[in-house]
């Protein structure tokens, strides 16, 4: 009795936590989330004046690594002189990404479009002298890529925004509500500009942690964006009023509980361009993480940080290109798939086709030899190496004809069929996947 009570109590606590974070009922957004669920890969772009000196985007002055005036001096060096939005869009397309999200403004408050508000922008305050978003959105849309807008709620450069440095703020909302009202009006009109000028398919908020949902007026903001475009998707950083969860940098080790989620991750250690950061992940590492994310039902939003002149570092171009070639070869195992089977069945990432009659196994490194699959109740009709067509043989061992316990499946992976990065096997099943998770033996 005590155990049942403890279980119910723990369950109630857990649901309360989940529901207090996520205010939007999954069923009410299921339809509009379809493209997102199938998309799997997005390219994130952090572009701003921080690329001039290669310092932490906005955080450099907030964390007092440099003064705010010194940070803002970078406005003078931001030229976008070699910015080629068509080439950016080509690269994103080549990576296999189905959507992209670009910083319309980061926490430093510098807008990349021609804002009508009295505040910093690349148009008014930098030698670039132009709206950098419009041509980008046009180019990506021409290629059938969904267009997302990163928007920082925080604006540490705005005189009416409370937060400024890590150890000081301008004022407290409770002490000067009229000033906070002015800021809210300002940020909501900038957001309305983004919404009306670019009609993003996805709004990617950031920085909600500094204020409550009531202070930001999250619900009102959500409603106004959806009035303009009812199909727009809103990320989970609007104090509970978003559509999906956004872990950052760390790949979840088990499947998150949310219906939809997206891992945002850098290719080196920073979001924006930094000359000294050479800690690049390799294409293999990115592809392995990508397979892991998709296997857990998530999307990867992979970041690039262009230089101030608009050129993209060669290492980032290389990762996107290699990832794209791998995606092309393994398209059916990634895009439009559903999360795979639990780790106990197979120790590696897996995905399932939408009808779950194809099971895809992702083999780390240059795996060859015999691999094992446990608890698969289906008969396997056929096994092929994805993208090269080689048929593989397998055997089922230990099946007792009169018991529901399936046998162990051993698959032979010969040398020579391996992909340069991650090899994928497609197992065609007799019916939609059925898994056995009992304790084995005579049951
Ligand atoms: O503070 C930002 C950071 O600079 C970067 O933009 C990332 C991207 O997800 N988001 C914030 C922290 O969560």
């Amino acid at each position: 009795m005590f155990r049942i009570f403890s279980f119910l109590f723990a369950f109630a606590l857990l649901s309360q936590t989940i529901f207090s974070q996520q205010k939007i009922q999954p069923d009410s957004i299921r339809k509009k989330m379809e493209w997102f669920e199938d998309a799997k890969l997005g390219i994130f772009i952090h572009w701003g004046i921080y690329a001039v000196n290669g310092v932490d985007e906005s955080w450099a002055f907030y964390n007092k690594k440099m003064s705010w005036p010194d940070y803002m001096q970078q406005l003078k060096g931001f030229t976008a002189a070699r910015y080629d939005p068509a080439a950016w869009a080509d690269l994103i397309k080549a990576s296999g990404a189905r959507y992209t999200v670009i910083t319309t403004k980061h926490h430093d408050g510098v807008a990349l479009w021609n804002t009508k508000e009295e505040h910093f922008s690349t148009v008014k305050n930098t030698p670039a002298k132009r709206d950098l978003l419009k041509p980008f959105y046009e180019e990506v849309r021409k290629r059938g890529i969904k267009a997302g807008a990163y928007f920082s709620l925080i604006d540490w450069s705005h005189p009416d925004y409370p937060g400024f440095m890590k150890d000081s703020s301008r004022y407290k909302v409770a002490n000067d509500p009229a000033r906070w009202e002015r800021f809210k009006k300002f940020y909501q009109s900038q957001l309305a500009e983004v919404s009306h000028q670019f009609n993003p398919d996805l709004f990617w908020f950031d920085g909600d942690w500094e204020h409550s949902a009531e202070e930001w007026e999250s619900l009102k903001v959500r409603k106004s964006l959806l009035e303009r475009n009812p199909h727009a998707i809103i990320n989970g950083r609007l104090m509970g009023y978003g559509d999906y969860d956004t872990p950052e940098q760390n790949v979840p080790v088990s499947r998150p509980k949310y219906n939809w989620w997206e891992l945002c991750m850098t290719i080196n250690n920073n979001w924006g361009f930094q000359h000294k950061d050479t800690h690049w992940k390799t294409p293999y590492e990115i592809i392995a993480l990508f397979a892991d994310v998709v296997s857990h039902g998530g999307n990867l939003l992979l970041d690039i940080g262009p230089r101030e002149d608009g050129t993209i570092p060669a290492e980032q171009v290389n990762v996107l290109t290699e990832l794209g070639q791998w995606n092309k070869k393994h398209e059916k195992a990634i895009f439009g798939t559903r999360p795979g089977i639990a780790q106990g069945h197979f120790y590696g990432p897996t995905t399932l086709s939408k009808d779950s009659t194809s099971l895809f196994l992702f083999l780390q490194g240059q795996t060859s030899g015999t691999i094992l699959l446990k608890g698969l109740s289906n008969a396997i009709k056929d096994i092929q190496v994805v993208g090269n067509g080689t048929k593989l043989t397998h055997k089922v061992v230990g099946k007792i004809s009169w018991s529901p316990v399936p046998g162990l499946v051993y698959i032979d992976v010969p040398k020579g069929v391996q992909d340069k990065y991650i090899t994928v096997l497609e197992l065609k099943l007799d019916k939609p996947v059925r898994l056995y998770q009992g304790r084995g033996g005579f049951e």
Side-chain angles (χ1 to χ4, degrees), residues 242-432:
D243 299 320
Y244 68 91
D245 193 27
T246 56
E248 184 165 318
Q249 293 290 34
N250 287 296
V251 182
V253 286
S254 58
R255 192 173 302 168
K257 298 282 173 287
Y258 295 84
N259 281 62
W260 301 278
W261 64 277
E262 170 201 70
L263 171 76
C264 54
M265 190 179 76
T266 55
I267 297 182
N268 52 357
N269 287 342
N270 286 284
W271 299 100
F273 173 72
Q274 298 211 9
H275 312 71
K276 290 187 190 145
D277 184 353
T278 54
H279 302 284
W280 302 107
K281 296 182 188 86
T282 64
Y284 169 72
E285 288 160 357
I286 298 280
I287 291 168
L289 292 170
F290 178 42
D292 198 2
V293 166
V294 176
S295 157
H296 287 123
N299 287 1
L300 176 66
L301 184 62
L302 183 65
D303 183 68
I304 57 172
R307 296 187 188 87
E308 66 73 25
D309 66 358
T311 54
I312 301 174
E315 293 84 353
Q316 298 184 351
V317 172
N318 180 46
V319 165
L320 265 58
T321 311
E322 293 293 296
L323 172 61
Q325 279 167 13
W326 185 86
N327 276 333
K328 208 168 176 189
K329 181 172 167 191
H330 300 98
E331 177 146 14
K332 64 173 164 180
I334 292 283
F335 299 99
T337 60
R338 293 296 169 259
I341 57 179
Q343 289 278 301
H345 296 282
F346 176 71
Y347 289 101
T350 59
T351 57
L352 284 160
S353 58
K354 263 186 200 165
D355 65 1
S356 77
T357 59
S358 275
L359 171 63
F360 298 98
L361 309 181
F362 294 72
L363 309 183
Q364 308 282 349
Q366 295 294 304
T367 303
S368 64
T370 306
I371 60 162
L372 171 64
L373 185 60
K374 292 179 287 179
L376 179 71
S377 299
N378 297 77
I380 298 173
K381 291 201 301 192
D382 177 55
I383 305 180
Q384 286 196 23
V385 181
V386 176
N388 103 2
T390 308
K391 284 187 186 284
L392 301 188
T393 56
H394 74 284
K395 63 182 179 189
V396 180
V397 177
K399 169 80 188 121
I400 305 169
S401 59
W402 43 265
S403 153
V405 184
L408 302 169
V409 177
Y410 287 103
I411 303 169
D412 291 321
V413 183
K415 285 209 167 85
V417 299
Q418 286 70 23
D419 180 78
K420 187 156 111 177
Y421 298 120
I422 298 269
T423 310
V424 186
L425 308 185
E426 177 177 12
L427 278 59
K428 291 211 171 93
L429 309 175
D430 58 340
K431 289 182 183 136

